[in-house]
Amino acid sequence: MFSEDMSPETREKLVEELIGTCEGILVENPGNRCCTYAKDYVSTEEFKSLSNEDVITFWKCIKTGIDNPDSGLGCYAMTPDDYSKFGGFFDKVIRNYHGDTTGEKKHETDWNTGDTDYDVTKLGQEELSMRVRVGRNLIGFNLPGAMDKNERIKFERRMLPAFEQLKEKYGGDIYSLTPDFGDDVANPNFITDEKYNELVKAHVMFKDMAADPYLNSAGISGDWPHGRGCWQSEDKMRIIWFGEEDQLRIMCMKKGSNLLEVFTNLNEMLTTVEAIEGIVFAKDASYGYVTSCPSNLGTGMRASVHIKIPKLTADGSDAKAKEVCKPLGLAVRGTGGEHTPIGADGTVDISPSGRLFIKESDIIGKLYEGIEKLMAVENKLSRSPLCTCPEDSNSCVFSCPSNRFDSKRSLGSA
């Protein structure tokens, strides 16, 4: 749309067209934050002072919100500096999305959970599939939306010494989708399509991003599959993706009952990664760790569990679950990630929605609290009308009339 050699007159005309496009989109999509704030930003002195080159970058940041009118956010940063360079736009988007009405909050990083116990067996749960991940990006590289094929490969090769150091501590393997490193340089970690599909099915590797229209418009899925892959530890618990929405997605996953097990292990792995020479994560003074999408700024963290709620999903969808979870501050997804179906047995993926202006330690606490409150709703739907137990209890006690009724009914039908 914009070009480096455009004249002031051409630029002004294109800006007017952009404003009109945004206003048109907002008629049917009032929740599109990109259009809401972009149409005003392009009339500010900050925008007018930008070079043509910077205007092109800004256009790339907002293009996905224009191409996909149903977007809730509709913008991605192209470089770590974009959040400050286009601050008059991004700050409004960020604070609106993350619920900061003061306009003054600054992110604080804190992993200390003290001596709090987060064992879900106390909530009547058995082992759950648990996962905690963070998004991270390195200083010295563009964010994925602005990377070309050569930079994606350069980033992968930059990470190889780091992965070797991680292998010394945790063992494991590097799996790469990059066919070769160019100039007849072979990729020793290249895997077959069969192995890739096996890793995707096991939720170890991410899917082909080219199918995502939002990432496509933002340039994030470009040059597939170059610069994409992962490292997985020998115990299968630790994984680092490279080349997805963020340069790195660092995660721990395990089936267990103590949420702190994955949380603590992730913190330990992050400490190890950050100690490797040349690894410096991009941070912002106000927004914490920098991520491509404004929704992940701050902690960059998503802490989730797979949990069965067959009553709330009795209609085969997660609609009721989302209705219940939203006031609890929880997001609901299918078992395969965003935009995937729920499990046939009513299993869904839940996680706290907050990322920014919240401590890492508070996220894990909110996940535990969310499980407790969600199961209280689920179990209430399962109760007999004769139940006299407190509404906030997780199950009926033996002396409950509904249990006595069920016992008599069982005897009578024997």
Side-chain angles (χ1 to χ4, degrees), residues 206-220:
F206 49 94
K207 296 179 180 179
D208 182 349
M209 298 185 294
D212 189 316
Y214 305 94
L215 298 182
N216 265 337
S217 293
I220 292 173

Side-chain angles (χ1 to χ4, degrees), residues 259-285:
L259 299 181
L260 286 182
E261 189 170 2
V262 287
F263 183 78
T264 304
N265 275 299
L266 176 61
N267 190 22
E268 177 194 278
M269 185 166 63
L270 279 170
T271 301
T272 299
V273 173
E274 287 187 277
I276 296 173
E277 185 178 356
I279 301 293
V280 182
F281 295 143
K283 294 186 73 174
D284 182 274

Side-chain angles (χ1 to χ4, degrees), residues 57-74:
T57 301
F58 177 70
W59 166 246
K60 290 178 180 178
C61 290
I62 66 170
K63 185 175 182 294
T64 187
I66 305 298
D67 290 348
N68 302 283
D70 62 342
S71 298
L73 270 170

